[in-house]
Amino acid sequence: MRPAAAPARTALPRPRTAPARPRTALVALLAALALALLPAVAASAASPVSAVSSASAAGDPTVAVSRSEAPKGGEITVSGTGWKAGALLMVLLCGQGTPEKGVVGGTNSCANTDGRAATVDPRGAFSVKLPVVAPPRPCPCVVHVSGVTGQQDVVDAAFTVAGHPTAPPPDNAGDGRLAVLTAARLDGSSGVLTWFGAPPGRTVVLTVGNLGTAPVRDPVFLVGTARGVLAASDEEHQWRGTIKPGQKARIELDVELSAGAHGDYRVSVSYGGKVLAEQPWKVGRPWGVVLFWVLLAVVVPAALFRIGMVLVDRAGGRNRHSVPVPVPADADGPGTTAALPWFHPGSAPSENSPTTKGLT
């Protein structure tokens, strides 16, 4: 029994070890292919990340100027991409500014009266014509684009005003930063004259603090009023005084609308190219004006009707007096009594003749 079992044990390993060599070679070949394809797989995996990074970088707001230098009195085209759709932008030409440090001194260094407003289209782009004027501060100059509503980004593009003085920006300027400490409110009420179409007015009251390291002297605020999707009309208001670092101040700015204005308005206060506060303002309709026009529509036709009736009456009276009325001829001559149809001649009662009344 034992000698017969020994050959069976030695014969069993032979068929198992024979196919082991091809399987090992196949595994080695697959490993080599995997190592060869690993850089390609890593590159393909890294490509979506780079695409997302470029897309996020492309989504940042940008500003481009048609010309880098132009003389005063000319005009340039300012365009941009990557802005929030529907946002309202303010485009200004400012002095003492660089794209890296921004505008030194805030909007005090900008030509605010010659600024332009632009609305971002659904694609996130905008384009507006900007006149080239002399800013109140020397160059280096920039085209300052800031968001008024919606997106509050600020982007500066370098620009040179030909012939304008040039001076290096002061090192210690621009350190004064104002921030709103309390919510803004609108004080005041409408009077009787406003009910009849007088310009409605309010006072914007807010408390600001200087969070910078330099004092802010006589800051100039932009008070804007906008209705619906229309661009805001800004007006400069200079507050007289100095706000030292760490101090706060109560700011009161008057705002007034045009005569007969009514509807939902939005009042905004900006400083340094940034919106400090916004406040809604609902202006009632001037019903006195409506009542005046209603009365005018009723009184004027009534007066015209009466004047016409008087003229017609006068014309009719003139016609009646102009037509002769026939008078019966006096047969007995003057001084005699005209004969009446129910009396015979000579039978008319007189004062001396008695009557038969009461005798019968």
Side-chain angles (χ1 to χ4, degrees):
M1 297 293 293
R2 292 181 180 177
R9 291 179 181 178
T10 56
L12 289 176
R14 291 180 182 178
R16 293 180 182 179
T17 56
R21 294 179 180 177
R23 185 177 299 178
T24 304
L26 181 60
V27 171
L29 180 61
L30 292 176
L33 292 176
L35 292 175
L37 294 176
L38 183 60
V41 174
S44 62
S47 58
V49 177
S50 61
V52 173
S53 302
S54 61
S56 61
D60 296 335
T62 61
V63 173
V65 185
S66 59
R67 291 187 292 174
S68 60
E69 182 177 354
K72 291 178 288 187
E75 190 178 58
I76 58 176
T77 301
V78 182
S79 59
T81 57
W83 296 82
K84 184 178 180 180
L88 182 63
L89 308 179
M90 178 58 65
V91 183
L92 300 172
L93 181 58
C94 307
Q96 287 186 346
T98 59
E100 295 79 15
K101 297 182 179 181
V103 179
V104 176
T107 54
N108 292 337
S109 304
C110 303
N112 298 301
T113 57
D114 296 286
R116 295 292 183 267
T119 303
V120 182
D121 60 17
R123 299 176 300 174
F126 76 93
S127 180
V128 64
K129 299 288 186 180
L130 181 67
V132 180
V133 297
R137 298 291 186 271
C139 285
C141 300
V142 294
V143 175
H144 183 76
V145 181
S146 59
V148 178
T149 59
Q151 193 171 358
Q152 303 294 328
D153 291 324
V154 178
V155 180
D156 296 320
F159 182 74
T160 302
V161 180
H164 192 63
T166 303
D171 297 334
N172 58 350
D175 294 335
R177 295 184 295 108
L178 297 182
V180 178
L181 302 181
T182 59
R185 69 176 189 271
L186 294 176
D187 287 350
S189 59
S190 300
V192 178
L193 296 180
T194 305
W195 201 67
F196 286 95
R202 293 290 188 274
T203 301
V204 184
V205 181
L206 67 159
T207 302
V208 298
N210 188 357
L211 305 181
T213 59
V216 178
R217 298 180 177 86
D218 299 334
V220 177
F221 298 92
L222 288 181
V223 180
T225 55
R227 182 183 181 185
V229 297
L230 300 179
S233 56
D234 296 326
E235 185 177 356
E236 291 186 359
H237 292 266
Q238 187 172 16
W239 185 80
R240 297 293 181 179
T242 302
I243 307 175
K244 297 181 180 180
Q247 289 185 347
K248 62 181 181 179
R250 175 188 171 95
I251 308 296
E252 296 183 0
L253 306 172
D254 295 331
V255 57
E256 186 178 79
L257 302 178
S258 59
H262 63 277
D264 295 331
Y265 284 82
R266 185 181 63 257
V267 181
S268 61
V269 180
S270 305
Y271 176 77
K274 295 183 178 180
V275 178
L276 298 180
E278 282 188 346
Q279 188 71 17
W281 183 10
K282 188 173 184 179
V283 184
R285 184 181 295 273
W287 292 107
V289 179
V290 178
L291 180 61
F292 170 78
W293 285 110
V294 170
L295 293 178
L296 189 65
V298 174
V299 171
V300 171
L304 294 177
F305 177 76
R306 289 182 63 87
I307 293 173
M309 293 301 297
V310 170
L311 295 177
V312 170
D313 184 64
R314 289 182 179 181
R318 187 181 301 109
N319 293 334
R320 287 196 301 269
H321 290 297
S322 62
V323 177
V325 178
V327 179
D330 191 358
D332 298 336
T336 60
T337 305
L340 297 178
W342 57 85
F343 291 107
H344 295 287
S347 63
S350 61
E351 295 179 359
N352 298 328
S353 61
T355 61
T356 60
K357 183 177 181 181
L359 297 178
T360 57

